[in-house]
Amino acid sequence: MHNRSNLFVYGEILQDGTVDNISSYASFMNVTASNFGGSVRNALSSGNLSGTSGMGGVDPAKAVDFVETHDTYEDGSSKNLSDWQRKAGWAIVASRAGSTPLFFNRPTGSIGSAGDGQWHDTDIVAINAFHNAMAGQNEYLRWTNNNSTMLIDRGTIGTVIVNYGNSTYLSTSTNLASGTYTNHGSASATLTVSNGTIKGNIPANSVIVLYGNGSDTGSGTGTGSTSAVFTSSPVTAVAGQTVTITYNAGGRALQGSSTMTMHWGYDSWKGLADTAMTSQGNNIWQVTVTVPSAASSALNMVFTNGSSWDNNNSANWSVPVTASGSGTGTGTGTGTGTGTGTGTDTGSTTGGGTTGTTAYAPHAGYKVDYDSSALVQGKSFTIYYKGALAGSNQVTLHWGSNGWTGTADAGMTKRTDGFWEATVTIPSTASILNLVFTDGSSWDNNGSKDWNLTVWPTANPAQASPAPTAGQQTTVIYNGSFAANASSMTLHWGTNGWASTADVVMTKQASGAWSAVITLPSGANILNMAFKNQAGTWDSNNSKNYNYSVSQ
């Protein structure tokens, strides 16, 4: 047979969870994600779209996903779905990363009759075009509007929104590049993205397909790729603070590498260092480093797999550095050939951390992680989970505020690094955010202590990164009322109601904040903190102290 390598081969393997042995079949061909199809149909029936994360236990790269097939139509499990429900379901399954979607052309009569023609519906066509345009892009899933609205980001270049309810005004976090986007489908909708937030009116019961018409942000150089080759977050790094670098090896000399290292320095290659990067899948690599406090103009970097190098055609890559703490945002470099894409995106720095679209990467070895600078009323807050339930097929974040009022469930999405991720919007009335996790049958409630996180009206004056975990280090960053004028600061801390207290002298950062690194004892469940300046004057948060739940 000629061109047999171009054949797409998959098997119809019906999952029963016990004897299907689907992983063995997936080792030599693609397989149907029948459990995921069931989850999608259940979500369409209930109106709660949060159950559509994951891929039902199938590797997305091996999955053939669907809303319905001839079997589900004939056995009645999908036959009652309306045309709108089928379209909404197709928007979900065909927009996901890695998988190959299967569209069932419903017969106008019995099986074997002519199809009903929904395959050339305007929205179906737009979704199919989106699927093809997003090849190789990773995904970021989240749910809002009481889980009746689902957003599927693909890299920074495209988003599909499924609104399964009344018309709504959307204002939520996104990875989509800043710009103005108009729906490619039938509904009339134009949305704007700025500083990592997407906003706009979404019509009732609609599918919104966005890509290709936003403005480029940041700066960089690309070769032969439609996605960013190099991105930095923030665009302008701040001396003494962290910066996240993302490198896309797809279509370049290091494509397909099993390891990746960033070789970097600052101010024309001073202080050389090699830092291992973490694979994000699809040839995407990422690393977070701390900008040396001595850096004043730029970070310099190239990439290697240990034998070959990518030095951007001898131009290297660089990220501007400021000591002022005024540069934020996310920059993306894209292009074709040797062209460059340029633009601007700015933000502000508060509370010792950056606002805007700064990407926070969860830390290996931590059960729960989050960017504590985002613990602010009305702000989007992303939780990363890799605790006892991380090996489950699905994980749901169960959360509330102020002692478990207004509880809600948010379906979590599994990342390539093993963490589960969900983003919620902190209520404007919240002073405490309450969190636990479930896989549908078992719960992780942090040893019956839950996770209870203090929420602030504006900036968080006492941050901790990574999120406090028993037996692990965390960096405490203080930018409270004493920070600006203090000549010295001391962190006074203890655990479990001030047991075994200790004092640590803090270091002033270029941003004006003060930092100290501590290691939490293995039995800790609460971190208690207060701060004092050189005069011995205390900041104890009006005698309430600064407290964090510690992951067990």
Side-chain angles (χ1 to χ4, degrees):
M1 179 183 293
H2 298 292
N3 298 322
R4 63 180 179 272
S5 61
N6 293 330
L7 290 173
F8 180 78
V9 179
Y10 76 97
E12 184 182 21
I13 313 300
L14 301 180
Q15 296 171 268
D16 65 3
T18 55
V19 297
D20 55 56
N21 202 20
I22 197 164
S23 60
S24 295
Y25 288 104
S27 67
F28 60 87
M29 65 179 176
N30 288 62
V31 295
T32 50
S34 56
N35 283 354
F36 177 65
S39 296
V40 172
R41 294 190 297 276
N42 288 339
L44 296 173
S45 297
S46 68
N48 183 346
L49 303 184
S50 66
T52 57
S53 61
M55 197 56 66
V58 179
D59 179 356
K62 290 289 189 176
V64 174
D65 58 344
F66 54 85
V67 182
E68 63 175 348
T69 65
H70 62 281
D71 287 324
T72 64
Y73 180 77
E74 281 291 278
D75 69 18
S77 58
S78 68
K79 200 166 190 175
N80 290 330
L81 293 177
S82 67
D83 287 350
W84 155 241
Q85 289 176 313
R86 293 161 59 206
K87 182 190 297 187
W90 182 250
I92 294 171
V93 302
S95 300
R96 296 291 301 276
S99 60
T100 302
L102 175 68
F103 186 88
F104 175 59
N105 189 22
R106 267 192 183 184
T108 52
S110 60
I111 292 290
S113 302
D116 64 3
Q118 194 187 40
W119 61 271
H120 56 71
D121 175 272
T122 300
D123 291 323
I124 299 295
V125 171
I127 294 161
N128 292 345
F130 177 90
H131 172 84
N132 293 335
M134 297 300 120
Q137 299 293 319
N138 55 12
E139 69 179 21
Y140 171 37
L141 310 181
R142 64 224 175 277
W143 297 262
T144 185
N145 196 22
N146 293 320
N147 294 327
S148 66
T149 304
M150 181 177 182
L151 295 92
I152 305 169
D153 282 353
R154 295 296 301 276
T156 60
I157 65 174
T159 296
V160 163
I161 303 168
V162 181
N163 184 32
Y164 201 72
N166 297 328
S167 60
T168 186
Y169 180 76
L170 187 69
S171 179
T172 189
S173 62
T174 184
N175 287 341
L176 195 60
S178 293
T180 301
Y181 296 81
T182 301
N183 182 26
H184 286 258
S186 63
S188 176
T190 299
L191 292 94
T192 59
V193 178
S194 178
N195 291 331
T197 299
I198 186 169
K199 296 182 179 181
N201 291 304
I202 307 295
N205 294 331
S206 62
V207 172
I208 309 300
V209 182
L210 307 175
Y211 67 103
N213 51 354
S215 59
D216 185 29
T217 62
S219 62
T221 303
T223 301
S225 176
T226 59
S227 60
V229 173
F230 175 88
T231 70
S232 68
S233 178
V235 174
T236 301
V238 180
Q241 297 188 19
T242 60
V243 61
T244 297
I245 303 299
T246 304
Y247 167 67
N248 183 359
R252 303 180 70 83
L254 302 183
Q255 176 174 316
S257 297
S258 59
T259 62
M260 193 69 63
T261 298
M262 183 172 78
H263 180 68
W264 64 287
Y266 66 92
D267 299 348
S268 298
W269 295 104
K270 296 178 181 176
L272 292 178
D274 291 311
T275 305
M277 306 185 76
T278 300
S279 174
Q280 306 297 306
N282 295 322
N283 283 300
I284 308 294
W285 297 84
Q286 192 173 82
V287 67
T288 299
V289 297
T290 300
V291 181
S293 57
S296 60
S297 61
L299 293 181
N300 319 106
M301 63 275 296
V302 294
F303 304 95
T304 180
N305 61 9
S307 57
S308 300
W309 292 78
D310 187 348
N311 63 4
N312 196 20
N313 295 321
S314 300
N316 305 320
W317 282 276
S318 64
V319 176
V321 172
T322 179
S324 66
S326 60
T328 67
T330 298
T332 62
T334 66
T336 58
T338 57
T340 60
T342 61
T344 58
D345 184 10
T346 60
S348 60
T349 299
T350 59
T354 57
T355 62
T357 58
T358 302
Y360 185 90
H363 297 75
Y366 289 73
K367 297 179 180 179
V368 171
D369 205 358
Y370 49 81
D371 179 359
S372 58
S373 71
L375 284 166
V376 176
Q377 293 171 351
K379 191 167 184 177
S380 292
F381 182 65
T382 300
I383 301 97
Y384 304 93
Y385 175 76
K386 201 175 182 181
L389 306 178
S392 302
N393 289 331
Q394 64 178 17
V395 176
T396 298
L397 168 68
H398 181 67
W399 68 285
S401 61
N402 303 343
W404 292 106
T405 62
T407 58
D409 292 323
M412 306 192 79
T413 301
K414 194 165 189 178
R415 297 159 46 101
T416 57
D417 56 12
F419 278 93
W420 291 82
E421 172 186 296
T423 300
V424 301
T425 299
I426 299 176
S428 59
T429 57
S431 58
I432 296 290
L433 192 64
N434 314 111
L435 314 171
V436 293
F437 306 89
T438 180
D439 62 4
S441 58
S442 299
W443 290 81
D444 186 347
N445 61 5
N446 200 26
S448 299
K449 301 293 184 181
D450 303 335
W451 284 267
N452 304 298
L453 309 178
T454 302
V455 176
W456 301 90
T458 54
N460 182 354
Q463 300 168 29
S465 181
T469 297
Q472 300 278 29
Q473 285 188 341
T474 190
T475 299
V476 176
I477 301 172
Y478 174 75
N479 201 26
S481 57
F482 295 162
N485 298 319
S487 58
S488 68
M489 289 295 304
T490 298
L491 165 64
H492 179 67
W493 71 283
T495 58
N496 304 350
W498 293 107
S500 303
T501 60
D503 290 329
V504 179
V505 176
M506 307 189 78
T507 301
K508 192 165 189 176
Q509 305 298 310
S511 63
W514 296 79
S515 70
V517 178
I518 60 175
T519 300
L520 294 161
S522 58
N525 55 66
I526 293 289
L527 171 62
N528 314 112
M529 299 184 293
F531 305 88
K532 64 179 178 180
N533 64 10
Q534 69 281 357
T537 306
W538 287 88
D539 179 355
S540 61
N541 189 25
N542 295 320
S543 300
K544 294 181 289 186
N545 305 314
Y546 297 92
N547 305 307
Y548 279 89
S549 285
V550 176
S551 297
Q552 298 290 295

